[in-house]
């Protein structure tokens, strides 16, 4: 059994997604039978956790590891896993598609001070790797404190006492040894070392922000944007929690400008989507071209499909449809439903149909117009019948012309919908359209003062809540990313 240190890439707004994304990717790499009690053994009391959490209704309605978040991991942004030798090569797949995992390190030792670190090093394990004679280098990783170049060299020099058989090669090393420092600070230039780790890099993300796979999809270079276009990092996090893979069939019922389906297309999924607002799909005033994009051209007609063409993806099947009222009979077609429903925070939630108030006002105006017309007719009884007929014929002709000019731009009327209505209809649709074992991932608004009470989150008897990741928007409001499994 090997102890492997996970080093998370801390994106402040997505810290609450770290452990949840890691769990989803480990399941994808290790399979459904991943032994979480063994994997998490260094971080939590797994026996106590399972005994407490499985009590009451949790066994059916919630996943066993739902409450294990970064807040429960004492050494975050470092997290220790216990892996078998067969599992270690699979970590490269996890890093390859992760947004928040920076690296995995084979841990040789850890301590509260450097002197204790050297005595804690597992020398037989270190010699097994260092005696291969490969060129190597060091990397210093400090959390909550920066190290100068001089300080880093002094730290590396201290490791001369350990057995290394290869040569130092800064430019192209075959092995990279990490020294990871976890500092505590009062933010007043007072630091104390909580823990220092020493390990060998097993897998890591590409160096440099522009070399990472998700950098290509940054919104600053996305050619077509809508007012509420979802951040590309969040779209990829949701796709990972949905476990989207090349053979997946994915549906987004609130597709907008397509951010989520772009992320799913990157992972090779076959994508479908719909949106109630035809304007944002076809670029009719709501969406806009991004002139700062490297793919912008003045002669293009921009729409949601332009984004997929920009990245060379197959155009997904997207239609104008109100998913809450659809009569389509879709039986267990989709492997995942991933979406960002409009709850009226960034964009108003709507459903098909005319607003009752608008409809009443329109009928009232029609009655007033009819009464005025009747009075006008009575006052003009002296006019000849032929003139009246000519006027009517002219009006009908104008109406025909207007109808012909605007028939292709007709926007189906919509009305506001409540948050509860949106979620209820989403579950209703997924109950039929999602295959058993498939995942539904969506964002949900949450008032922070309420605390994270899982019992108050949306639930349905045909679904089990697996993950809950918090994205803090401000001091009062968050949105949580909820991951459900179809039972």
């Amino acid at each position: 059994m090997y102890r492997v240190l996970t080093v998370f890439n801390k994106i402040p707004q997505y810290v609450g997604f770290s452990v949840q994304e890691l769990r989803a990717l480990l399941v994808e790499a290790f399979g459904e039978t991943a032994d979480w009690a063994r994997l998490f053994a260094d971080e939590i009391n797994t026996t106590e956790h399972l005994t407490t959490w499985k009590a009451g209704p949790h066994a059916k309605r919630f996943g066993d590891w739902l409450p294990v978040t970064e807040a429960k991991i004492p050494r975050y942004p470092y997290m220790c896993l216990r892996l078998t030798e067969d599992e270690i090569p699979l970590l490269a797949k996890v890093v390859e598609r992760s947004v928040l995992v920076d690296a995995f390190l084979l841990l040789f030792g850890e301590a509260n001070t450097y002197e204790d670190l050297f005595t804690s090093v597992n020398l037989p394990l270190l010699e097994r790797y260092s005696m291969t004679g490969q060129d190597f280098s060091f990397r210093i990783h400090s959390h909550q404190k920066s190290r100068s170049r001089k300080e880093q060299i002094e730290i590396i020099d201290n490791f001369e006492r350990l057995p290394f058989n290869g040569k130092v090669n800064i430019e192209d090393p075959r092995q990279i040894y990490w020294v990871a420092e976890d500092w505590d600070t009062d933010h007043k230039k007072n630091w104390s070392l909580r823990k220092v780790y020493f390990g060998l890099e097993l897998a890591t993300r590409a160096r440099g922000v522009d070399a990472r796979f998700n950098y290509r999809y940054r919104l600053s270079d996305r050619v077509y944007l809508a007012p509420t276009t979802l951040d590309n990092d969040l779209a990829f996090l949701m796709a990972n929690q949905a476990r989207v893979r090349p053979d997946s069939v994915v549906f987004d019922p609130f597709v907008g400008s397509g951010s989520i389906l772009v992320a799913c297309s990157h992972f090779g999924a076959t994508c479908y989507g719909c949106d109630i607002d035809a304007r944002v799909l076809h670029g009719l005033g709501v969406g806009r071209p991004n002139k700062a994009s490297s793919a912008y051209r003045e002669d293009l007609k921009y729409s949601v499909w332009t984004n997929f063409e920009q990245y060379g993806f197959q155009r997904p099947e997207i239609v104008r449809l109100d998913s809450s009222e659809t009569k389509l009979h879709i039986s267990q077609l989709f492997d995942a439903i991933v979406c960002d429903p409009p709850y009226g925070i960034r964009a108003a939630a709507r459903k098909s149909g005319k607003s009752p108030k608008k409809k009443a006002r329109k009928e009232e105006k029609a009655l007033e117009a009819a009464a005025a017309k009747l009075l006008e007719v009575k006052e003009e009884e002296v006019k000849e019948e032929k003139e009246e007929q000519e006027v009517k014929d002219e009006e009908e002709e104008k109406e025909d012309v207007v109808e012909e000019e605007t028939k292709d731009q007709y926007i189906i009327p919509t009305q506001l919908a409540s948050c509860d209505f949106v979620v209820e209809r989403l579950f209703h649709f997924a109950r039929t359209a999602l295959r058993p074992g498939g995942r539904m991932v969506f964002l949900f608004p949450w008032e922070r003062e309420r605390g994270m009470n899982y019992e108050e989150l949306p639930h349905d008897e045909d679904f089990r809540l697996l993950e809950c990741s918090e994205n803090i928007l401000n001091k009062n409001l968050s949105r949580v990313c909820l991951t459900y499994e179809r039972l």
Side-chain angles (χ1 to χ4, degrees), residues 113-125:
T113 66
Y114 273 95
E115 286 303 317
D116 292 339
L117 174 66
F118 293 118
T119 59
S120 73
V121 171
N122 185 338
L123 290 177
L125 183 62

Side-chain angles (χ1 to χ4, degrees), residues 12-24 65-71 100 234 237-242 439 441-446 452 454 457 465-473 478-484:
Q13 63 269 37
Y14 301 131
V15 165
F17 289 70
S18 302
V19 177
Q20 291 85 339
E21 186 203 31
L22 176 62
R23 275 203 297 264
W65 303 97
L66 175 64
V68 179
T69 66
E70 83 292 338
L100 297 176
L234 182 52
L237 287 168
M238 296 175 70
N240 278 336
Q241 292 199 22
R439 290 193 170 194
V441 181
F442 64 91
L443 299 175
F444 184 75
W446 192 256
M452 191 49 64
Y454 298 113
L457 293 171
L465 179 61
L466 297 180
E467 303 287 6
C468 175
S469 310
E470 184 180 16
N471 171 211
I472 298 175
L473 300 177
S478 292
R479 56 181 174 183
V480 291
C481 179
L482 304 177
T483 302
Y484 293 84

Side-chain angles (χ1 to χ4, degrees), residues 43-58:
E43 301 295 349
I44 61 173
N45 185 328
T46 55
T47 302
E48 178 184 349
H49 166 81
L50 290 174
T51 302
T52 303
W53 182 243
K54 278 193 170 181
H58 296 157

Side-chain angles (χ1 to χ4, degrees), residues 1-2 38 82-90 128-129:
M1 195 68 61
Y2 297 89
R38 185 246 305 166
R82 287 188 176 270
L83 302 180
T84 64
E85 188 169 3
D86 293 337
E87 291 170 337
I88 287 179
L90 301 176
R128 176 181 169 184
Y129 287 90

Side-chain angles (χ1 to χ4, degrees), residues 83 121 160 180 192 235-236 239 310 312 329 340 389 440 453 458:
L83 302 180
V121 171
E160 289 181 345
S192 60
F236 278 106
Q310 176 183 1
H329 296 287
D340 176 19
Q389 189 62 42
M440 178 168 66
N453 186 343

